[in-house]
Amino acid sequence: MKVDEYVTEAVLAKLEERAAVRKQGDAPRGGAEELERLTKKQRTMLQKWREDLVSDELFFPENRKMEVRIRQLRGEHSLCVQRASKVTADVRERRFSGELDMAQKRALIRGRRMR
């Protein structure tokens, strides 16, 4: 029985990995890079504002735009992480639910949709 448990865990780990990779592919392209770029740009602009190299008239409206976009990007990232964890948990939950027959378990392993 130890072999059965080992194989089951290995298969479930692979399914979870596949589900997580699939969900990461659904993430908005370039979102992490844009978030990092905007955060860095915002810090630079703040430093220049503190040194009086950027006027209030320029700083405050531009900073507000960047804050809105940064908040949006963080929200999108959070949503992608939640979706990936839901799919990952779903694989294990469905496998051990006791509601699947052997054919359905095989379909789950093959990555096919089940009703």
Side-chain angles (χ1 to χ4, degrees), residues 21-42:
V21 167
R22 190 177 318 129
K23 281 301 171 186
Q24 286 174 352
D26 293 345
R29 301 282 181 216
E33 292 85 10
E34 184 180 2
L35 178 60
E36 184 177 337
R37 182 185 64 77
L38 278 176
T39 303
K40 189 175 183 178
K41 186 176 182 177
Q42 189 179 39

Side-chain angles (χ1 to χ4, degrees), residues 5-20:
E5 291 174 27
Y6 176 79
V7 171
T8 299
E9 283 302 314
V11 169
L12 287 173
K14 189 65 176 175
L15 289 172
E16 291 169 341
E17 178 184 316
R18 184 189 321 160

Side-chain angles (χ1 to χ4, degrees), residues 55-105:
S55 69
D56 292 350
E57 292 80 21
L58 176 65
F59 175 77
F60 288 105
E62 289 302 315
N63 188 54
R64 178 69 183 133
K65 288 179 197 174
M66 284 189 277
E67 283 179 348
V68 168
R69 183 65 181 142
I70 287 169
R71 196 173 308 121
Q72 180 184 24
L73 289 168
R74 285 182 179 149
E76 289 172 2
H77 174 71
S78 176
L79 184 60
C80 289
V81 169
Q82 286 174 341
R83 285 180 183 157
S85 65
K86 167 67 175 135
V87 169
T88 301
D90 190 44
V91 168
R92 189 170 292 275
E93 184 180 310
R94 287 168 50 191
R95 166 60 179 88
F96 290 112
S97 68
E99 298 174 5
L100 302 179
D101 62 24
M102 189 56 71
Q104 290 171 318
K105 289 177 184 176

